[in-house]
Amino acid sequence: MADNAFDRAPEQAKATSATAKSQLSVNAPEFYPSGYTSNFTESSLEDGNGGYPMLTEYVQDFLNHLAEQPACFETEIAHFSETLNGSVTTDEALQELVELIYQQATSVPNFSYMGARLCNYLSHHLTINPQSGTFRQLLLHRCRKEYENRDEAAKGDEAARKRFHAFVLFLAELYLNLEIKGTKGQVTRAEILQTGLHELLNTLFSNPVDNNLICAVKLLKLTGSVLEDAWKEKGKTYMDDIIQKIENVVLDANCSRDVKHMLLKLVELRSSNWGRVHITSTYREATPENDPNYFMNEPTFYTSEGVPFTAADPDYQEKYQELLDRQDLFQGCEENGTDLSGTGDAFFDDEDDEDEMDPEIEEAYEKFCLESERKRKQ
């Protein structure tokens, strides 16, 4: 059943038509990313295959350019896609494009995220739709080939496991970034990848050597919250099963102390809802009884004797009314020979205008204070 996780991808991705001859010039400026200087010659492209290697070189150069300058993705991806639409016109060319991106995403360090973003963009913007399948279908088919060898790869030598782990993390990035548009226009994630990641986690924990476990930790840190949410929507407890596998590994497996520590930290992360904090709900539930900082941001006032008080004071309403009465008492009085309500010094006039509270604001503020007092007594 697990081996059929990628059944929706085409069973075969063989070329069904001859490669079309390119009409594009070797020296066309659109073949080079911004700021890139070509280091290959025209003679290197002349192999009698109608200029097709020129497309391969262009794609590889662009991928290398993105690896070195990932910030260029936003500004250059549209032109890259447009160029491909004018050049990728055969099954063979599309399959080669998929292979180049796959190899880059699984062999170049830290390119898996960029590779997944690139795949998502091309899956929505490439116009070619050959008999062998669309760009996304061919990409999933390529991933399925690697997926079907997962048991052998997880038990293989260090080099085999390294390639396998790169594939696992690329698939995780694809799950997060590859957008599938539904019939009603809604955007979802690829269900096929969700199933595949579940089986890959089982494979990694079934072969608990250090680097397999480290890969599983990276995978869960990257996708754990999204996977668990998706599984809960279906009423599945797969994440509970995975956490149980982790606890068994910590107790029984001969992995290193550092790896066991990583696994325990992962369990702790999951117990905190993957680090997600719902600030809004906490704020709504805060009351003077359950939150010692409830009155922290309340303003502080002073009585005529200079004693400070806030809305938390039991006699707040009485003291605040006294404060308002005192403000009314001093309205229009002179201070240091200057009539604050008249036409005294211009500087003091401006200062008084700034400090004077608008009647509407004063009324609203008084209501706020009274409401705070009412809530406090509830």
Side-chain angles (χ1 to χ4, degrees):
M1 178 176 173
D3 288 336
N4 295 326
F6 289 87
D7 280 344
R8 297 183 202 174
E11 289 296 328
Q12 288 185 320
K14 298 180 179 180
T16 58
S17 61
T19 303
K21 292 187 177 182
S22 172
Q23 301 300 318
L24 294 174
S25 167
V26 173
N27 300 315
E30 62 265 29
F31 272 77
Y32 305 100
S34 174
Y36 179 82
T37 302
S38 173
N39 58 2
F40 59 87
T41 63
E42 184 173 349
S43 60
S44 67
L45 305 178
E46 295 174 353
D47 67 348
N49 198 20
Y52 177 72
M54 183 169 57
L55 175 63
T56 302
E57 292 282 359
Y58 167 61
V59 172
Q60 189 61 61
D61 287 347
F62 184 77
L63 295 176
N64 294 339
H65 174 64
L66 280 184
E68 294 175 1
Q69 302 181 46
C72 293
F73 180 89
E74 299 292 346
T75 57
E76 299 183 15
I77 185 60
H79 184 257
F80 176 68
S81 176
E82 183 180 349
T83 302
L84 292 182
N85 277 327
S87 306
V88 180
T89 57
T90 67
D91 292 12
E92 203 171 77
L94 185 60
Q95 291 177 43
E96 182 66 17
L97 173 65
V98 169
E99 185 64 25
L100 287 170
I101 296 175
Y102 176 86
Q103 290 298 334
Q104 184 87 357
T106 57
S107 62
V108 175
N110 302 319
F111 196 79
S112 57
Y113 167 69
M114 183 60 66
R117 289 187 66 196
L118 179 60
C119 289
N120 180 59
Y121 189 93
L122 294 180
S123 71
H124 294 292
H125 291 85
L126 283 185
T127 55
I128 182 174
N129 189 17
Q131 294 180 357
S132 58
T134 63
F135 174 86
R136 184 172 68 235
Q137 289 172 329
L138 292 177
L139 173 67
L140 294 178
H141 175 78
R142 178 63 182 88
C143 291
R144 180 185 177 182
K145 289 172 60 178
E146 209 72 31
Y147 168 84
E148 290 177 340
N149 295 324
R150 62 191 182 282
D151 292 324
E152 181 180 349
K155 298 174 183 177
D157 58 23
E158 186 174 347
R161 289 201 302 270
K162 185 177 180 180
R163 289 192 299 271
F164 174 60
H165 299 155
F167 159 70
V168 170
L169 296 179
F170 175 53
L171 206 69
E173 292 288 6
L174 276 179
Y175 177 63
L176 295 178
N177 291 279
L178 192 62
E179 298 175 341
I180 309 297
K181 291 185 179 179
T183 55
K184 297 181 180 179
Q186 75 277 20
V187 177
T188 61
R189 292 188 170 92
E191 183 84 12
I192 195 174
L193 296 180
Q194 182 189 126
T195 304
L197 289 175
H198 184 203
E199 293 301 328
L200 289 171
L201 282 167
N202 289 336
T203 299
L204 291 167
F205 285 118
S206 297
N207 299 277
V209 296
D210 277 8
N211 52 10
N212 279 347
L213 295 174
I214 292 172
C215 179
V217 169
K218 290 179 178 179
L219 172 56
L220 285 169
K221 282 186 174 181
L222 186 62
T223 64
S225 61
V226 179
L227 285 173
E228 183 164 17
D229 288 347
W231 290 335
K232 282 183 177 179
E233 287 182 4
K234 301 176 181 177
K236 304 296 184 181
T237 59
Y238 293 151
M239 190 58 70
D240 291 334
D241 299 337
I242 290 171
I243 295 300
Q244 184 61 56
K245 288 179 184 290
I246 292 176
E247 293 173 351
N248 292 341
V249 166
V250 171
L251 291 174
D252 302 330
N254 296 321
C255 56
S256 68
R257 176 183 296 180
D258 288 343
V259 171
K260 286 185 178 181
H261 181 70
M262 290 175 62
L263 292 169
L264 291 174
K265 282 293 185 181
L266 181 68
V267 173
E268 183 180 334
L269 178 64
R270 192 259 181 163
S271 67
S272 67
N273 195 25
W274 303 100
R276 295 178 290 188
V277 179
H278 299 291
I279 299 177
T280 303
S281 60
T282 303
Y283 173 78
R284 287 177 179 173
E285 295 171 2
T287 65
E289 289 72 27
N290 64 21
D291 185 358
N293 298 319
Y294 185 78
F295 292 109
M296 180 175 290
N297 295 321
E298 292 284 353
T300 300
F301 304 100
Y302 294 86
T303 66
S304 58
E305 291 79 20
V307 179
F309 69 96
T310 68
D313 195 296
D315 301 323
Y316 166 76
Q317 188 172 357
E318 179 181 343
K319 292 178 179 178
Y320 182 70
Q321 186 60 49
E322 179 186 346
L323 177 63
L324 293 179
D325 293 342
R326 282 197 296 120
Q327 287 179 345
D328 292 337
L329 180 64
F330 283 102
Q331 288 295 325
C333 291
E334 293 184 358
E335 181 177 328
N336 294 330
T338 302
D339 186 357
L340 298 183
S341 63
T343 56
D345 185 271
F347 175 80
F348 288 103
D349 287 344
D350 291 341
E351 187 179 61
D352 182 59
D353 290 341
E354 290 178 1
D355 291 340
E356 184 177 0
M357 186 180 290
D358 181 85
E360 289 188 15
I361 296 177
E362 184 175 350
E363 181 182 358
Y365 184 71
E366 184 175 356
K367 288 181 178 179
F368 165 76
C369 294
L370 293 175
E371 180 66 17
S372 297
E373 172 68 9
R374 185 187 65 78
K375 289 182 178 179
R376 186 186 70 78
K377 291 182 178 180
Q378 286 180 349

